[in-house]
Amino acid sequence: MATRSLLLSLLLSFLLLLLLLLLASPCLSASRGSFLKLPLLHRPSPPRSLFRRGRSAESPVTSGAPFGAGQYFVALHLGTPPQPLLLVADTGSDLVWARCSACGVGGGCSRRAPGSAFLARRSSSFRPHHCYSASCRLVPRPSPARCNRTRLHSACRYEYTYSDGSLSSGFFSRETVTLNTTSAEAKTAARLEGLAFGCGFRASGPSVTGLSFNGSQGVMGLGRGPISFSSQLGRRFGSNKFSYCLMDYTLSPPPTSYLIIGDGPGEDNAAPSSTLAFTPLLANPLAPTFYYVGIKRVHVDGERLPIDPSVWSLDELGNGGTIVDSGTTLTFLAEPGYRLILAAMMRRVGLPAAGSAPPGFDLCVNVTGVRRPRLPRLSLVMEGGAVLAPPVRNYFIEVAEGVRCLAVRPVETERGGLSVIGNVMQQGYLWEFDGDRSRLGFSRRGCAAAS
């Protein structure tokens, strides 16, 4: 009897998990090998706002340059009829949400909320999850959670907090989304039903309201959790995998970057797996959203720096570690490692210090009149032997005419010491996040082909 009860309990747990996954997945018929390719739009920041934080349907990623924000964005249309939105592409969070008017959702109101981008009451396909539904258990909720079991339309409230204390709250809902996609043959539109997202009527904090958020109406979470955009669509494509290329934002006009959900178009349109260097994705049960990687060694101009590997490691409390985050602009490194990197850079820079530079940068040099400035080369040796050795422009950025600054900042280890490889450091690479094999691949080849 005990064995039978245990088996029944396990079966019910499995069915509940399956139900949660299905409820969180948009309705999209796709076979394994299919993929979705979205254009990414990039918007570089002014220097002072750089801090945190088979059958194919394709869609670009856009640069944020015209809006003064250091993010990459995805354009989509939400609702029926479709309403246009621009969302930050963020591998450092799970929730997909848009600034929303709560009018007619969980109660009446007389006017549109300031800053609202999506009007739920104007969409015939908008449906908030009920607060006692299985889907509502997938999101963090206010405490005490307000829920009326007897009310048919008692909406699921969510309260999603980011690592810097920023917050989005509203109703966890489902909606039809139309994605502007591209393919080698023609531009197409992919219409997906049942996307789980947050209809956010409150947002606070620098990550979701400041200069770095300028021009966007929400966040497209691409993290490892079940409610992220990549997880929801990846399940429908039969592959828990996505990839992107973040092209150099300093070029004018900036080239198109892409986000690909699924297995990708193959060797004709992107780098084959044989060209990618892979490093394992590490798990942190206390922060399951993030894509953690392991750093073994750091070199500057080929010299190995005497940095203890524990500087980059997760501790038993889930603190520390290193993540790859498209939603953070600069790269942030644990302070003990950062100080040794900074000292090595200063010894080798060989250029005069800049007379004036924006606050917040520890190393700025004057390159006026120098056609090809000689700047130190940084390389990170990852677990598994993969080496990230980005071009100098990925970490010495131009902040003013003739002035370049080291775009790496320290993180205090006393406050968790989470190191972050930001989107400037990632530029010019194809990055493949493979959840099925729990690995991250990257390559300097493939971005041009993917565009």
Side-chain angles (χ1 to χ4, degrees), residues 38-52:
L38 309 171
L40 285 169
L41 316 168
H42 175 256
R43 302 183 175 175
S45 298
R48 296 192 184 194
S49 65
L50 283 171
F51 306 99
R52 9 192 213 201

Side-chain angles (χ1 to χ4, degrees), residues 69-303:
Q71 306 287 4
Y72 288 82
F73 301 88
V74 177
L76 52 78
H77 289 75
L78 200 63
T80 307
Q83 301 177 38
L85 296 171
L86 201 60
L87 305 184
V88 173
D90 183 20
T91 60
S93 64
D94 290 329
L95 182 68
V96 180
W97 67 271
R99 281 187 278 193
C100 186
S101 171
C103 298
V105 179
C109 58
S110 59
R111 65 178 67 182
R112 176 175 177 166
S116 296
F118 177 68
L119 298 179
R121 68 182 184 276
R122 294 185 182 175
S123 172
S124 62
S125 53
F126 176 82
R127 298 289 186 276
H129 290 293
H130 193 277
C131 57
Y132 273 98
S133 69
S135 294
C136 194
R137 301 175 196 172
L138 297 174
V139 290
R141 287 175 282 173
S143 182
R146 289 175 289 175
C147 186
N148 188 331
R149 186 187 293 271
T150 61
R151 288 183 58 187
L152 180 62
H153 300 294
S154 187
C156 173
R157 293 178 178 268
Y158 77 89
E159 193 169 89
Y160 195 91
T161 304
Y162 294 84
S163 58
D164 67 349
S166 297
L167 178 142
S168 168
S169 64
F171 294 115
F172 192 51
S173 314
R174 59 186 184 273
E175 185 55 284
T176 296
V177 60
T178 305
L179 296 156
N180 297 327
T181 67
T182 66
S183 67
E185 296 79 20
K187 289 188 176 181
T188 59
R191 185 175 173 84
L192 316 174
E193 296 180 358
L195 180 78
F197 87 109
C199 180
F201 47 84
R202 179 188 168 208
S204 61
S207 289
V208 295
T209 60
L211 283 175
S212 65
F213 206 69
N214 188 28
S216 64
Q217 290 93 35
V219 173
M220 178 182 282
L222 296 169
R224 303 176 79 172
I227 61 172
S228 76
F229 185 82
S230 51
S231 294
Q232 292 188 63
L233 270 67
R235 287 191 293 273
R236 292 294 174 172
F237 287 115
S239 173
N240 185 17
K241 181 191 295 184
F242 72 94
S243 60
Y244 58 64
C245 287
L246 305 182
M247 303 302 286
D248 187 351
Y249 72 86
T250 64
L251 301 178
S252 184
T256 304
S257 303
Y258 286 92
L259 168 68
I260 301 172
I261 307 292
D263 278 326
E267 297 189 10
D268 292 336
N269 297 295
S273 292
S274 60
T275 69
L276 297 172
F278 289 100
T279 186
L281 284 172
L282 309 179
N284 181 1
L286 298 180
T289 294
F290 296 141
Y291 295 97
Y292 284 91
V293 295
I295 297 177
K296 294 178 65 178
R297 300 185 299 277
V298 178
H299 296 82
V300 173
D301 278 348
E303 178 188 349

